[in-house]
Amino acid sequence: MTQAPATPRRALRHHDREIIALALPAFGALVAEPLFVMVDSAVIGHLGTRQLAGLGVAAALLTTAVSVFVFLAYATTAAVARRVGAGDLSSAIRQGMDGIWLALLLGAAVIVAVLPTAPWLVEAFGASPAAAPYATTYLRISALGIPAMLVVLAATGVLRGLQDTRTPLYVAIGGFTANAALNVGLVYLAGLGIAGSAWGTVIAQCGMAAVYLTTVVRGARRHGASLRPDAAGIRACAQAGIPLLIRTLSLRAVLMIATAVAARLGDAEIAAHQIVLSLWQLLAFALDAIAIAGQAIIGRYLGAGDRAGASAACRRMVQWGIASGIVLGVLVVLARPLFIPLFTTDPAVRTPLLTTLLVVAVTQPVAGIVFILDGVLMGAGDGPYLAGAMVVTLAVFAPAALAVPALGGGLVALWWAMALMMTVRMLTLWLRARSGRWIVTGASR
């Protein structure tokens, strides 16, 4: 980060108020997806270990299919926020509409790709013969909700860029409540088993997308922004997202490798890994809430030409990230006895969980720095650097993770490889933030 004179106490309080005002509501929206998976894990976990193992593989594949397009939210947030900082609200919303149209096109393409290949994907992930049928069923049904999930990403990015994180919070609360009720009703009352859980998630996601679309369309009409698809705008949105797509593909490759390795360690290990991964993602999104605030704030400062404000906000958010990581790590340690029984009663699953959760806990301060700087650089539109840094991280992580089963390691060793991955990410992002080269002002980068 570039050095700057000491920030006055009043300026610090101003940054803190902005961060809190955006981050707290953003947290509720960010945790919607992992909470969906955690609810599914809790409901299906009581059906049996094979069903939970199947969910572990299917959820990893589904999350990958959606998360590779997270640029729909992140790039849109940065682009919209810059235009808000420049005072052009109509152009800001038009930018967001291009992202929503792109989300619909990409969602349709993903459905076409996933439905016929679901059994092969499950097999490639190393699911056991007992767990594979459950994984295939869940994946095929849940894939039908992917267009809605991508629309949620894009529309959320529009609202964040407009400095509105409260509306996504309200939608997330409604979606989570509906998903929980639908899961219990369809799995147990209707007797649909794992298929009922998948259908519940699809219905909840479609409802969320409908609410988001209604909100964005109202804003577009209020500010005179066109709702029609614009080929040039959609193409430009896709091109701007390519570096972030590479970054996200590399990150998803890390998680896919981890899940594939866990699957080959046995059904109990992949079931335990699914539970740990669900918690890890929840913690990550808690930290990313500050990063989301950073995307909106940094984009707005740079759009308004305020280099000093952007740099000061970055420093303050890193401090928030470290402190939050320490608090979350302590909470993980203290909550282990309460957390584990919610998901499984199988001793073979519970044993590796106890130690693995300690690894997750001690790495949270590192994760705090990683997620904050990742968000800051996204808000600055520094996608090419993020892409390169994540490719380097993948190159370090892959051999370390693949060596775990070869060397006779278990789930704990795999999660130490995850800790190595986070450390490499922290170093690459810190070097960029310190250089100050990410600070580029203007309504567009």
Side-chain angles (χ1 to χ4, degrees):
M1 257 168 285
T2 56
Q3 299 296 317
T7 307
R9 186 179 300 273
R10 181 177 298 178
L12 284 177
R13 287 199 298 266
H14 172 71
H15 286 307
D16 289 344
R17 285 194 298 269
E18 278 198 317
I19 293 168
I20 292 171
L22 291 172
L24 286 180
F27 172 74
L30 281 169
V31 301
E33 191 60 37
L35 281 177
F36 275 31
V37 177
M38 289 182 75
V39 167
D40 292 356
S41 298
V43 172
I44 294 173
H46 292 285
L47 294 177
T49 299
R50 289 179 299 175
Q51 288 89 336
L52 185 58
L55 172 65
V57 173
L61 286 164
L62 180 66
T63 302
T64 298
V66 175
S67 295
V68 293
F69 302 117
V70 74
F71 71 84
L72 291 167
Y74 292 159
T76 302
T77 297
V80 171
R82 275 184 179 267
R83 286 161 176 78
V84 168
D88 190 352
L89 290 178
S90 178
S91 176
I93 296 178
R94 175 64 261 181
Q95 180 86 19
M97 288 303 305
D98 291 336
I100 290 174
W101 281 111
L102 178 61
L104 289 170
L105 293 173
L106 291 174
V110 172
I111 288 179
V112 171
V114 169
L115 288 183
T117 61
W120 178 84
L121 291 171
V122 167
E123 181 181 356
F125 249 63
S128 70
Y134 298 107
T136 301
T137 296
Y138 189 91
L139 179 60
R140 276 182 164 159
I141 295 173
S142 296
L144 300 176
I146 288 177
M149 296 178 193
L150 298 190
V151 167
V152 167
L153 286 177
T156 300
V158 177
L159 296 180
R160 289 173 185 164
L162 293 171
Q163 317 294 296
D164 175 13
T165 56
R166 290 184 178 273
T167 299
L169 169 62
Y170 301 146
V171 177
I173 292 173
F176 171 73
T177 303
N179 182 62
L182 287 165
N183 263 264
V184 173
L186 294 175
V187 171
Y188 295 119
L189 300 181
L192 297 180
I194 196 169
S197 178
W199 279 118
T201 300
V202 170
I203 295 169
Q205 290 284 358
C206 288
M208 292 173 66
V211 174
Y212 273 119
L213 285 175
T214 300
T215 303
V216 173
V217 167
R218 286 176 179 172
R221 289 174 175 170
R222 183 165 58 251
H223 295 288
S226 174
L227 298 174
R228 296 179 179 179
D230 177 65
I234 294 172
R235 185 166 54 252
C237 185
Q239 291 172 346
I242 289 175
L244 289 182
L245 177 60
I246 295 171
R247 169 257 181 202
T248 304
L249 284 171
S250 299
L251 177 57
R252 294 312 307 178
V254 166
L255 300 181
M256 290 175 70
I257 290 171
T259 299
V261 170
R264 284 165 173 77
L265 295 176
D267 279 356
E269 284 74 14
I270 183 59
H273 176 76
Q274 170 59 25
I275 295 172
V276 175
L277 188 60
S278 296
L279 176 62
W280 186 79
Q281 289 175 328
L282 176 61
L283 296 172
F285 280 123
L287 294 170
D288 210 22
I290 306 172
I292 291 301
Q295 289 179 35
I297 293 169
I298 294 295
R300 193 188 73 233
Y301 274 127
L302 294 179
D306 188 350
R307 296 173 58 90
S311 182
C314 174
R315 287 194 298 272
R316 191 58 172 172
M317 282 181 285
V318 168
Q319 294 169 1
W320 272 76
I322 295 171
S324 298
I326 293 172
V327 171
L328 290 174
V330 172
L331 288 176
V332 169
V333 174
L334 296 178
R336 284 187 308 158
L338 301 175
F339 176 78
I340 294 175
L342 292 175
F343 293 91
T344 182
T345 57
D346 188 342
V349 178
R350 297 180 68 167
T351 300
L353 270 179
L354 285 169
T355 307
T356 304
L357 287 175
L358 287 178
V359 179
V360 172
V362 299
T363 57
Q364 287 309 294
V366 172
I369 299 174
V370 168
F371 285 100
I372 300 310
L373 291 181
D374 201 43
V376 166
L377 297 182
M378 284 184 187
D382 202 14
Y385 182 85
L386 289 172
M390 198 61 228
V391 169
V392 170
T393 301
L394 173 61
V396 173
F397 170 77
L402 294 174
V404 169
L407 298 176
L411 189 65
V412 175
L414 175 60
W415 275 87
W416 276 120
M418 292 285 285
L420 171 64
M421 178 271 296
M422 293 300 291
T423 302
V424 174
R425 288 190 72 191
M426 180 186 69
L427 292 175
T428 57
L429 296 175
W430 177 78
L431 288 172
R432 183 63 168 183
R434 186 174 182 274
S435 73
R437 295 176 183 174
W438 55 276
I439 302 178
V440 178
T441 58
S444 61
R445 186 178 173 92

